[in-house]
Amino acid sequence: MEPTGDLSARVLVEQILSTEPPMTPVTRSVSRQQNPSSIYRTRLSVKKADAQTPQNILRRSLKHKMRESISKTNLPPASKGRTVSLGLGNPNTRASSSMLLEGDTPRHILMNILQTEPIKSPVIHEGAAPVESQSSSADHSIATNSSIELSGLDLPDLTFGNARSVAKRLSRKRPRRTVNVSTFIKKLRKGEGENEEDSAQEDLSLSSSSTTSFSLKTPFENVQTDKKGLRRRVSQRRKTTKEGFGDAVNRMLLDHETSSLIQGEQGLCESTLAQDFSPKLSNLKKQELINEIIHSNTARYDTGDVPVGDFAVLETQDQSTVMASAIRSVMSIGAQTQPDGKGEVMQVSECQEEKNTTDCEAELETPESEEEDDKGEREEKAAVNPQTEEVVVTPSVEEDNMEEKSLVYSQTKADAATPTEDENATTTPEDEYHIEDDKVALVDSQTEEDATTPPEDEDNMEEEEMVMVDSQTKDDSTTPSEGEDATSPPEEEDNMEEEEMALVDSQTEEDATTPEDEDATTPPEDEDNMEEEEMAVVNSQTEEDSTTPSEGEDATTPPEEQDNMEEEEMAVVDSQTEEDSTTPSEGEDATTPPEEQDNMEEEGMAVVDSQTEEDAATPSNEDATTPSEGEDNMEEEEGTKLPTEDSAAVPSEEENALAARSQSKGKTDEEQELNQYIEHIDRQAHRFGGTFIIPVGEDDTTEPGLSEQDVAGKNSLRDSHSSIKVDSSDLESSGPHAPHPDSDPDESEAPPVEGAVPHEQDEWEEYDDEEENKEIPMKTPAFVREKRTFQMAYQVSPTAFNPQTSSNKSEAVPSVKPKRVRKPKSATVKNEVGLPKNYLMGVFRHFAKTKVSPDVYPVLKETMDKFFDRMAEDLETFALHAKRKTIEVEDVVLLLRRQGHVNDKVPVEVLIEKYLRMDQRRLLIPVATSGNIVIPKMKR
Amino acid sequence: MLKKAPNLKKIVKSKTKSNINVRLTSEAMLEIITMLFLKNLAKEATAKSFEEKSATIKPRHVRAVTKKMLKKARG
């Protein structure tokens, strides 16, 4: 309401009068009474109440005084109001405050008011003092005006007549006021006249500046120009005043008009300007001010903290309390800001990398093998053959089988189909059968079926087929349910003469063995199909198969097969069959193996025998057979465990025999087959129990043997075996198995060659056991390995059987196996914990000023890994050295120190401040949080 | 660096031989260490990349630097 620039005593007085209870002599007591309660409120209320009459009186007096002042004083009229103030600045007025109760001049009035007002608060007191001093000095000149203004500032604080004006004054002149107050106080103490000038001068300067600036502007604007140092104090003051203001403001709001009116009245005098301003300001800016005050936003500087909370409270508070509240407010605000500042979201957005993988390949293989199987099937189907019917059956069966492991078989079959197109019709089905001998039973059945039809085809096939038929028929007889499969495979075997034959034989053998009975038939049948070598193989297989599943029957078939098998493979087959026969029916096997052995004389005959015997010895040796034949194919099927083994043995022999031929080709296949067989064998092993372990070992041996033993006759078996096993094991990641099988087959091979079938068997068994033992230790110690062993067993047989089996099958088999194994693997392999990629790269990027290519990440991760290793180790050492079981902060600090990051010069706190977020800082440093918190949070 | 290093505690615990715990506050300290290390690493890597006049940091830069840094951060 006041003209900011015209804070003359008069103006101030007017304001006071308006706000305060009339300080006229009449109201003196009233004011006094009111003052203690609440300076501002009472004043305001009283003033308002009595504003009318006393103000009127005051006005008159003021007018009068103004005139007097004009006449008396020489104060340069800085503003209209100044004159009045000048007038007021009579020393008389100063001296006699009481006299000036009414105060001719506004100044006097002011003084009177101030003086009359009891000391309500130190602030007020100060205000009063400066006011008095101001009033005293007001007489002089502008300084007085300024002083009055200053005093007015004080007064408003006390009076809060016009909240806005007061606020304005406060805001404006706080900085000045502070100075003035101090000066005023000094003046008061020292004396009035002397320092007044100084103060007045000071005031002048300040006031002039303020006045000039305030002339037509809101008081707050000037505040901004004020010095910061001053602001500080002002803020303090404001607290008190604000609070009071708050109340006053509210009241003022109520009496908006009245106050304005009052102000208007007051403005009649020269101070009209001020008054005019004041009302205007008050009206216009009152609300602003009020709002500002209410919201404690009046500060033009960054108080930031002082909440204008308790107006009422502050009224009567001492400065100390006010300060405390201010501090509290600051703290609260600071606290608020703190969380805001550090309100980071601990988002663990980083997703840890999963570490799956591993066995995808196997899985992939299976689909591939399946596909191949399908292809093979289609091919076979395409080949319109009498056997196709069976083939159809078999494919169906195969498909069923294939899902699991048939892939291998399919592959093998496919392979078989491709090479021998002629026999594709028959062979392919057979191959398929072989391939899909996962479900050996099915295959066997198929073979059996095939046997019926294939026999027909076989006839067509003539040579091999003839033999095949025999085998098939035998197989048929042998394989009860799966006879169909058996037949088909045998037929297939017939069809597959050469290489395929060999494979087929192995397969058939395996097939026969897997379903045991059925497999026996099929492989034999297959062998039959495989004329030359294959034939022999088939025979052997069939023989073997027959031996294994149906001991008695097998014995018959194998011999027949053996007969058919004349060449190398034949012999091999025989041996295998013999072996097979030996295993299931040792007695019978004895017959067959010898026969087989007889047949097997060339290259791998002995080996085959051994193998066959071995296979026979161990039902799980089917894997060996399978590897030999259709490692690729056999692996999948479990059923043909024994047969697979046998077949594996046979194929191993065959492989050896075929070493020259298809080793190059068959190796891969063999390997696959081996793997498949191994898997197959493993599965079979499951069925048969732990006996598969042996074949697994065999597989292992065979696998490595593939490369090594391809040549050696004895080794042929081993090779095939090992190769098969190796493949299977490799597929199954059962590397350690390899050495075992090698040893085992070698051992097995050696003795059987000599012809002691039972001996062989024993040896075989022993070997198996040994293999088991060896394999077990060799194999992964984890239970994962255990599972692998089984798988390996499976693989061994298939691989042994079907070295030529399509890779798909082998893949299929391992793919199936890995599925089982993966879960435990994944469960176990959970120790790989790394920093999240995003986080790591983010931090690195942040520290690296230039761009960072994402290729860096693996290297970075590795580095961090090592780093963490070292760090953890060090920390652990430190903690243990301190006989503690938890890594403490001091441990880490020690590490930092050792690394050179922290010196005596560089305390840890520095680093903490530097690098950590607030929440962590808070953990570590009790007083790290901002602000002036008296009670720091304790660590932990 | 707005987020917490998520796995520090787990990492450290997984790497320690004996069964040892990590205090919560010290986990914060661990972050300091990792920060420092990464920072030095990054600094060196940038220097190295500058040597080769490339604006971006390539893995080979980092690799060449890590050995030295790891040695330095041994303690």
Side-chain angles (χ1 to χ4, degrees):
Chain A
M1 72 178 182
E2 65 180 77
T4 58
D6 300 349
L7 279 181
S8 60
R10 178 175 56 78
V11 174
L12 293 173
V13 168
E14 290 172 358
Q15 291 178 357
I16 290 167
L17 291 174
S18 64
T19 56
E20 290 182 9
M23 297 302 292
T24 59
V26 176
T27 61
R28 194 181 186 180
S29 62
V30 175
S31 65
R32 282 181 182 171
Q33 291 168 1
Q34 290 171 347
N35 290 332
S37 62
S38 62
I39 300 166
Y40 311 110
R41 288 178 190 163
T42 55
R43 287 182 186 170
L44 290 173
S45 61
V46 172
K47 276 192 179 176
K48 292 176 187 174
D50 299 340
Q52 302 297 334
T53 50
Q55 281 184 358
N56 294 333
I57 297 169
L58 270 174
R59 283 176 200 141
R60 292 176 211 140
S61 62
L62 283 173
K63 292 178 189 174
H64 178 64
K65 286 173 186 176
M66 281 175 67
R67 294 169 201 146
E68 290 178 357
S69 64
I70 291 169
S71 61
K72 288 181 186 177
T73 61
N74 58 350
L75 288 173
S79 62
K80 296 181 182 177
R82 302 288 170 129
T83 56
V84 176
S85 63
L86 290 173
L88 290 173
N90 290 330
N92 298 333
T93 58
R94 271 181 284 153
S96 60
S97 62
S98 61
M99 289 167 53
L100 296 174
L101 278 179
E102 290 188 353
D104 294 340
T105 61
R107 189 183 215 9
H108 295 316
I109 295 170
L110 253 182
M111 281 181 59
N112 293 337
I113 291 167
L114 290 172
Q115 288 170 358
T116 52
E117 288 180 357
I119 297 172
K120 289 134 193 176
S121 69
V123 178
I124 298 169
H125 190 59
E126 285 181 5
V131 170
E132 291 178 356
S133 63
Q134 284 181 354
S135 63
S136 63
S137 62
D139 296 340
H140 293 284
S141 62
I142 300 172
T144 56
N145 293 335
S146 63
S147 65
I148 290 169
E149 293 173 352
L150 295 170
S151 63
L153 289 171
D154 296 335
L155 283 175
D157 293 340
L158 304 175
T159 60
F160 296 97
N162 288 324
R164 286 182 190 171
S165 62
V166 174
K168 288 178 192 175
R169 283 179 225 154
L170 290 173
S171 59
R172 272 184 296 164
K173 298 192 179 179
R174 279 177 203 165
R176 272 176 286 133
R177 188 191 287 178
T178 56
V179 174
N180 295 330
V181 170
S182 59
T183 55
F184 279 125
I185 292 170
K186 290 176 188 174
K187 291 175 195 173
L188 290 175
R189 291 169 191 168
K190 293 175 185 177
E192 294 181 348
E194 299 176 0
N195 296 330
E196 287 176 0
E197 293 178 355
D198 298 338
S199 63
Q201 289 170 1
E202 289 175 315
D203 298 339
L204 261 177
S205 61
L206 294 170
S207 64
S208 60
S209 63
S210 65
T211 53
T212 53
S213 61
F214 288 162
S215 60
L216 288 175
K217 295 178 185 178
T218 60
F220 298 98
E221 294 176 4
N222 296 326
V223 174
Q224 292 171 355
T225 59
D226 292 334
K227 300 170 189 176
K228 285 194 179 180
L230 297 173
R231 286 180 191 172
R232 227 168 174 217
R233 294 185 195 176
V234 179
S235 65
Q236 294 175 0
R237 282 168 170 255
R238 271 169 106 222
K239 290 163 196 174
T240 59
T241 58
K242 277 183 185 175
E243 294 169 351
F245 272 127
D247 299 337
V249 168
N250 294 331
R251 287 167 196 159
M252 291 305 295
L253 286 174
L254 295 176
D255 296 344
H256 180 77
E257 295 182 354
T258 57
S259 62
S260 63
L261 288 174
I262 292 166
Q263 293 170 0
E265 290 178 358
Q266 292 176 349
L268 290 175
C269 304
E270 293 178 355
S271 63
T272 51
L273 284 176
Q275 288 176 353
D276 291 339
F277 289 128
S278 60
K280 288 180 188 176
L281 290 171
S282 62
N283 294 334
L284 299 175
K285 312 222 171 178
K286 237 187 201 179
Q287 296 186 351
E288 291 178 1
L289 295 174
I290 290 165
N291 292 334
E292 288 180 355
I293 292 164
I294 290 171
H295 300 294
S296 70
N297 291 334
T298 52
R300 289 295 173 254
Y301 47 88
D302 293 337
T303 55
D305 302 333
V306 181
V308 183
D310 302 334
F311 295 111
V313 176
L314 287 176
E315 286 178 355
T316 54
Q317 280 179 356
D318 294 339
Q319 279 188 352
S320 61
T321 55
V322 171
M323 286 304 296
S325 64
I327 292 168
R328 265 178 253 139
S329 63
V330 173
M331 286 173 57
S332 65
I333 290 173
Q336 291 172 3
T337 53
Q338 283 174 9
D340 295 339
K342 63 173 178 179
E344 306 128 5
V345 179
M346 311 280 285
Q347 295 173 356
V348 184
S349 64
E350 301 155 48
C351 50
Q352 295 184 359
E353 297 174 349
E354 294 181 354
K355 295 170 184 185
N356 303 326
T357 69
T358 66
D359 296 339
C360 302
E361 296 178 356
E363 290 178 344
L364 292 176
E365 290 176 348
T366 48
E368 293 176 359
S369 61
E370 288 178 352
E371 293 176 354
E372 292 181 0
D373 292 342
D374 294 334
K375 289 181 187 175
E377 294 176 37
R378 288 169 202 150
E379 290 176 356
E380 297 176 6
K381 292 177 183 176
V384 180
N385 295 323
Q387 292 180 350
T388 53
E389 295 175 357
E390 297 174 350
V391 174
V392 174
V393 177
T394 54
S396 62
V397 177
E398 293 173 353
E399 290 175 353
D400 296 336
N401 298 332
M402 285 168 62
E403 289 180 357
E404 293 180 357
K405 317 168 188 175
S406 61
L407 295 175
V408 176
Y409 286 102
S410 62
Q411 284 180 358
T412 57
K413 288 185 181 178
D415 295 343
T418 50
T420 62
E421 295 179 356
D422 295 339
E423 302 168 347
N424 289 341
T426 56
T427 55
T428 52
E430 292 175 349
D431 294 339
E432 292 178 0
Y433 296 131
H434 295 306
I435 294 168
E436 297 177 349
D437 277 341
D438 294 345
K439 300 182 181 178
V440 180
L442 294 173
V443 175
D444 293 339
S445 60
Q446 285 178 355
T447 54
E448 289 176 0
E449 291 175 341
D450 293 342
T452 58
T453 53
E456 300 174 354
D457 298 336
E458 289 176 358
D459 297 336
N460 301 331
M461 301 291 287
E462 295 180 352
E463 300 176 352
E464 302 167 352
E465 293 177 354
M466 293 297 287
V467 178
M468 295 287 289
V469 174
D470 296 338
S471 60
Q472 286 179 355
T473 52
K474 294 173 189 174
D475 296 337
D476 294 340
S477 61
T478 55
T479 60
S481 60
E482 298 176 351
E484 295 178 351
D485 297 341
T487 56
S488 53
E491 294 174 351
E492 294 177 351
E493 290 177 353
D494 296 336
N495 296 330
M496 298 170 57
E497 293 178 353
E498 297 177 352
E499 298 177 351
E500 297 177 351
M501 294 291 283
L503 291 174
V504 172
D505 290 340
S506 60
Q507 286 181 353
T508 53
E509 289 178 350
E510 294 176 350
D511 297 342
T513 52
T514 47
E516 297 187 3
D517 297 342
E518 297 173 350
D519 292 342
T521 57
T522 54
E525 293 176 350
D526 296 339
E527 293 175 356
D528 296 337
N529 293 331
M530 304 170 65
E531 294 174 347
E532 299 175 351
E533 299 174 350
E534 295 177 349
M535 292 293 285
V537 173
V538 171
N539 293 332
S540 62
Q541 285 181 351
T542 52
E543 289 176 352
E544 294 175 351
D545 295 340
S546 60
T547 53
T548 49
S550 59
E551 300 176 350
E553 295 174 347
D554 291 343
T556 57
T557 53
E560 294 176 352
E561 294 176 350
Q562 290 175 356
D563 298 336
N564 297 329
M565 296 168 59
E566 293 177 353
E567 294 180 357
E568 298 178 354
E569 297 177 348
M570 297 288 284
V572 173
V573 173
D574 290 339
S575 62
Q576 286 184 351
T577 53
E578 288 178 354
E579 291 179 354
D580 293 341
S581 60
T582 52
T583 49
S585 59
E586 296 181 358
E588 295 174 349
D589 293 341
T591 58
T592 53
E595 293 176 349
E596 294 177 350
Q597 289 176 358
D598 297 337
N599 296 330
M600 298 167 54
E601 289 179 0
E602 294 179 355
E603 295 180 356
M605 297 292 279
V607 177
V608 174
D609 291 338
S610 60
Q611 283 187 353
T612 52
E613 289 177 353
E614 293 176 353
D615 293 339
T618 59
S620 59
N621 290 340
E622 292 174 352
D623 296 342
T625 57
T626 51
S628 61
E629 285 184 349
E631 293 176 2
D632 305 340
N633 300 331
M634 295 300 289
E635 288 178 355
E636 297 176 354
E637 298 177 355
E638 305 175 358
T640 57
K641 293 179 183 177
L642 286 175
T644 53
E645 289 178 358
D646 296 338
S647 60
V650 173
S652 64
E653 297 173 348
E654 295 176 351
E655 291 174 1
N656 300 329
L658 296 172
R661 285 189 245 174
S662 62
Q663 274 188 355
S664 60
K665 173 191 172 182
K667 276 183 187 176
T668 55
D669 294 338
E670 288 176 355
E671 291 178 357
Q672 293 169 349
E673 291 175 5
L674 274 172
N675 295 332
Q676 295 171 353
Y677 275 117
I678 289 169
E679 290 179 353
H680 189 65
I681 292 170
D682 289 341
R683 293 173 200 164
Q684 294 173 354
H686 270 300
R687 291 192 199 174
F688 294 94
T691 54
F692 278 106
I693 297 173
I694 296 167
V696 179
E698 292 175 2
D699 290 340
D700 293 340
T701 56
T702 53
E703 289 177 357
L706 256 184
S707 57
E708 301 172 350
Q709 303 166 346
D710 293 337
V711 179
K714 290 188 179 181
N715 296 335
S716 61
L717 262 181
R718 201 186 313 162
D719 292 338
S720 58
H721 221 38
S722 61
S723 61
I724 295 164
K725 290 178 185 175
V726 166
D727 295 338
S728 60
S729 62
D730 289 342
L731 287 178
E732 292 296 327
S733 70
S734 59
H737 301 314
H740 292 304
D742 291 337
S743 62
D744 293 335
D746 294 340
E747 296 175 349
S748 63
E749 290 173 356
V753 174
E754 297 174 359
V757 175
H759 180 61
E760 288 179 0
Q761 288 179 356
D762 296 338
E763 292 176 349
W764 185 261
E765 291 170 353
E766 292 175 355
Y767 298 138
D768 294 343
D769 295 334
E770 292 174 354
E771 286 179 357
E772 291 178 2
N773 297 334
K774 291 176 187 175
E775 288 176 358
I776 289 171
M778 287 293 292
K779 295 180 182 179
T780 54
F783 62 90
V784 174
R785 290 291 186 181
E786 291 176 357
K787 287 209 176 181
R788 287 220 189 128
T789 58
F790 288 121
Q791 295 177 0
M792 285 305 299
Y794 287 112
Q795 288 174 355
V796 171
S797 57
T799 52
F801 272 52
N802 301 328
Q804 296 178 2
T805 54
S806 60
S807 60
N808 295 338
K809 287 223 167 167
S810 60
E811 293 173 354
V813 176
S815 65
V816 180
K817 291 287 169 74
K819 283 177 188 171
R820 302 176 199 172
V821 181
R822 233 172 269 131
K823 288 172 188 177
K825 281 184 196 173
S826 61
T828 51
V829 178
K830 189 61 178 176
N831 56 357
E832 304 173 23
V833 185
L835 271 184
K837 175 176 181 178
N838 295 339
Y839 176 80
L840 192 58
M841 286 297 278
V843 172
F844 193 74
R845 283 214 174 90
H846 168 264
F847 282 133
K849 301 309 169 191
T850 58
K851 298 194 190 118
V852 177
S853 92
D855 306 333
V856 168
Y857 176 64
V859 180
L860 197 60
K861 190 176 164 67
E862 210 177 291
T863 312
M864 288 310 289
D865 211 26
K866 288 191 205 143
F867 170 75
F868 283 134
D869 268 335
R870 303 233 185 117
M871 185 173 81
E873 196 182 328
D874 290 344
L875 288 174
E876 192 183 345
T877 311
F878 291 155
L880 287 176
H881 178 69
K883 299 186 185 58
R884 276 187 272 107
K885 288 197 184 160
T886 41
I887 292 174
E888 289 287 344
V889 178
E890 54 196 11
D891 294 333
V892 187
V893 171
L894 181 59
L895 182 63
L896 277 173
R897 189 174 275 275
R898 280 176 62 100
Q899 287 185 354
H901 295 123
V902 174
N903 299 330
D904 293 335
K905 298 178 191 172
V906 180
V908 184
E909 284 70 16
V910 167
L911 293 177
I912 289 174
E913 289 290 329
K914 200 162 143 195
Y915 286 107
L916 291 188
R917 299 181 313 281
M918 195 38 124
D919 57 348
Q920 292 174 322
R921 270 189 262 167
R922 199 170 265 182
L923 279 179
L924 296 165
I925 300 178
V927 198
T929 59
S930 74
N932 194 4
I933 302 172
V934 177
I935 301 169
K937 288 186 189 170
M938 298 307 297
K939 246 190 214 186
R940 304 170 200 175
Chain B
M1 193 170 57
L2 299 174
K3 305 177 186 171
K4 185 166 170 281
N7 281 339
L8 278 184
K9 177 174 171 189
K10 212 194 276 186
I11 288 172
V12 169
K13 283 190 92 165
S14 72
K15 295 207 185 292
T16 60
K17 311 280 182 311
S18 66
N19 183 20
I20 202 162
N21 294 333
V22 178
R23 195 171 285 286
L24 181 66
T25 49
S26 60
E27 185 178 352
M29 299 294 288
L30 289 180
E31 275 198 49
I32 292 183
I33 298 185
T34 52
M35 289 288 151
L36 283 169
F37 175 74
L38 272 177
K39 177 171 180 165
N40 288 338
L41 192 65
K43 203 160 69 165
E44 297 284 332
T46 50
K48 193 107 179 50
S49 72
F50 282 167
E51 265 179 48
E52 307 198 7
K53 297 188 183 56
S54 88
T56 59
I57 294 182
K58 295 286 165 137
R60 59 172 190 277
H61 303 143
V62 177
R63 224 176 273 120
V65 171
T66 55
K67 183 167 166 70
K68 180 172 153 233
M69 285 311 302
L70 278 173
K71 272 198 171 163
K72 185 164 174 255
R74 246 185 331 152

